Amino acid sequence: MSSAWLLPEHIADVLPSQARRIEELRRELLDMARSYGCELVIPPLLEHLESLLSGTGSGSEIKLFKLVDQLSGRSLGLRADTTPQVARIDAHLLNRRGVTRLCYCGPVAHTRPDGLNTSREPLQFGVEIYGHAGLEADLEVQELALDALRRAGLQRVMLDLGDARLLQGVLDGVKLSPDALAALTAALAAKDVAALGSLTADMPAGTRDALLALPSLFGGREVLAEAARRLPGHPLVKAALADLDWLAGHLAAVHPEVQLGFDLADLQGYAYYTGIRFAAYANGCADAVLRGGRYDEVGAVFGRRRPAVGFSLDLKTLVTLVPVTRLRAAVRAPWGDDASLRQAVRALRDAGETVVCMLPGHEHEADEFDCDRELVRDHAAWVVRPL
């Protein structure tokens, strides 16, 4: 038997019902981003490899599908993340001096899945704010992210916050190789105290004690005060804790329904983020539904180091968590070559109605629409009546 219909692992077609829900959600989120003043951009699916790898941190190259451009002979890549492309647009094509708010929604491709049940072709929606280094931009992005989840209909949302500057402050003056730093951040994220003990054995006592304390610094807002007592009084550490507390106060005032949490050892994306980072969880799901934070170095490779903060999520994952929407109400109409019938159908569609014409022999097939009315002839006119 031919297997031509089979797709690669972790690649799947999106069938009508889910495609409808994804498209409705995409429109809702893009309209919401526009209400914040975000401008839509549509970067290309592929471009030069070095551009896609710029400012994305370690480990990003392994996610990229690579190919050779038959026109130039240069290496190209299919984007695995849209942020570097948006940074390039901000730096060179727009080249504005002030604040720029951009949003996007499009597919990305990963050579490997992020999890057992994840797609290698996510549909990435994201928002980026360039040009403002203050906490106001961080707060706006986090509120936009929470609004996106609320618009999608998610319940029991928890926002988890941390800051890359905490580890930078703790490690100030300690030289580590890239491999040693990667091992350290992995042990912190896993809260592997035994591994941390081995990795920090030769470090100064103060640094070692702070690193061993980080895995226990998670919980509510009270964790910030405990961290101030147990971590060194380095300026970066003080600034990070103060900023996290400021954001917590503002978020709690506007979003009292959202649970705020802090995990100061969660350093996912440490090579990428330069300040506050956050992740949102919802509906009791163990995996984050979106991630974001501040990444001021993302545009440096393009010649403009602009303050930058943003977030992204996968619409294909998000749609599996949101409530199922009702089928769109539609009008069922007979098929015919009567000119008055065709004019009546056109008039209904021009008025915004969905009209499903039942082709001969298929009078009961309208699976993706809720036909609650029908178009029938009443004497000399065609009228709509309830089913």
Side-chain angles (χ1 to χ4, degrees):
M1 180 180 295
S2 172
S3 60
W5 58 273
L6 292 175
L7 292 173
E9 292 184 68
H10 294 273
I11 300 291
D13 294 306
V14 181
L15 300 181
S17 180
Q18 189 175 25
R20 171 181 57 84
R21 295 167 62 201
I22 289 174
E23 177 60 16
E24 290 171 350
L25 191 56
R26 184 190 70 86
R27 295 178 186 181
E28 178 78 13
L29 295 188
L30 286 176
D31 286 345
M32 182 212 62
R34 184 171 60 183
S35 75
Y36 274 75
C38 296
E39 301 171 275
L40 177 65
V41 292
I42 307 177
L45 184 60
L46 75 167
E47 60 177 284
H48 294 132
L49 193 59
E50 58 268 26
S51 296
L52 293 176
L53 290 173
S54 61
T56 56
S58 61
S60 57
E61 185 173 1
I62 198 171
K63 290 185 175 182
L64 282 171
F65 283 99
K66 305 174 186 69
L67 61 155
V68 176
D69 186 358
Q70 297 299 312
L71 296 179
S72 67
R74 294 181 63 180
S75 294
L76 303 180
L78 293 177
R79 66 179 178 218
D81 181 23
T82 314
T83 294
Q85 297 179 296
V86 179
R88 174 180 53 75
I89 290 172
D90 172 72
H92 279 287
L93 299 182
L94 297 179
N95 198 26
R96 297 170 181 170
R97 292 185 177 275
V99 172
T100 300
R101 297 174 174 88
L102 301 175
C103 63
Y104 56 86
C105 188
V108 297
H110 295 167
T111 55
R112 302 180 183 183
D114 291 331
L116 291 176
N117 299 313
T118 57
S119 171
R120 289 196 290 161
E121 190 191 15
L123 183 59
Q124 190 179 53
F125 167 82
V127 169
E128 321 266 345
I129 299 181
Y130 294 91
H132 186 72
L135 285 175
E136 298 84 359
D138 296 77
L139 179 61
E140 182 172 313
V141 159
Q142 290 173 24
E143 289 189 329
L144 203 160
L146 293 174
D147 277 349
L149 300 185
R150 179 178 59 84
R151 293 284 187 95
L154 294 189
Q155 304 294 324
R156 293 177 292 141
V157 175
M158 186 190 82
L159 189 68
D160 181 80
L161 298 117
D163 199 306
R165 293 172 295 177
L166 291 170
L167 186 58
Q168 294 169 13
V170 168
L171 290 177
D172 189 24
V174 177
K175 293 184 178 180
L176 294 176
S177 68
D179 289 342
L181 181 58
L184 182 65
T185 56
L188 285 168
K191 295 178 172 53
D192 189 340
V193 178
L196 281 174
S198 298
L199 292 168
T200 60
D202 297 328
M203 293 184 183
T207 300
R208 187 172 191 271
D209 291 344
L211 290 171
L212 291 174
L214 279 174
S216 64
L217 295 174
F218 64 92
R221 195 172 176 181
E222 70 281 355
V223 165
L224 301 179
E226 183 182 356
R229 293 192 299 269
R230 299 180 64 182
L231 298 181
H234 191 280
L236 286 176
V237 173
K238 289 183 177 180
L241 295 176
D243 289 351
L244 288 169
D245 189 64
W246 185 92
L247 284 169
H250 283 74
L251 289 169
V254 180
H255 296 276
E257 77 286 358
V258 175
Q259 179 185 352
L260 296 179
F262 301 85
D263 187 349
L264 304 188
D266 184 357
L267 294 163
Q268 290 196 52
Y270 176 76
Y272 180 61
Y273 293 117
T274 59
I276 289 172
R277 63 110 200 109
F278 60 92
Y281 301 82
N283 291 14
C285 184
D287 296 323
V289 68
L290 66 80
R291 291 188 181 274
R294 180 164 287 278
Y295 31 83
D296 290 342
E297 297 292 338
V298 70
V301 72
F302 301 113
R304 293 190 75 203
R305 187 187 180 279
R306 293 251 288 168
V309 60
F311 75 90
S312 67
L313 57 83
D314 175 22
L315 279 180
K316 289 182 180 179
T317 298
L318 182 62
V319 80
T320 64
L321 302 175
V322 304
V324 176
T325 56
R326 293 183 57 186
L327 295 178
R328 180 171 178 173
V331 177
R332 187 175 69 191
W335 184 91
D337 54 8
D338 184 288
S340 63
L341 170 60
R342 298 169 69 85
Q343 289 171 359
V345 169
R346 175 175 291 185
L348 287 169
R349 288 172 175 162
D350 287 346
E353 295 281 3
T354 296
V355 182
V356 182
C357 287
M358 299 293 103
L359 299 178
H362 302 271
E363 287 78 9
H364 302 290
E365 298 178 10
D367 292 342
E368 186 55 25
F369 300 94
D370 180 16
C371 292
D372 58 354
R373 292 154 294 158
E374 63 178 344
L375 184 65
V376 297
R377 182 184 286 278
D378 185 5
H379 301 294
W382 290 93
V383 297
V384 176
R385 70 181 185 188
L387 280 173

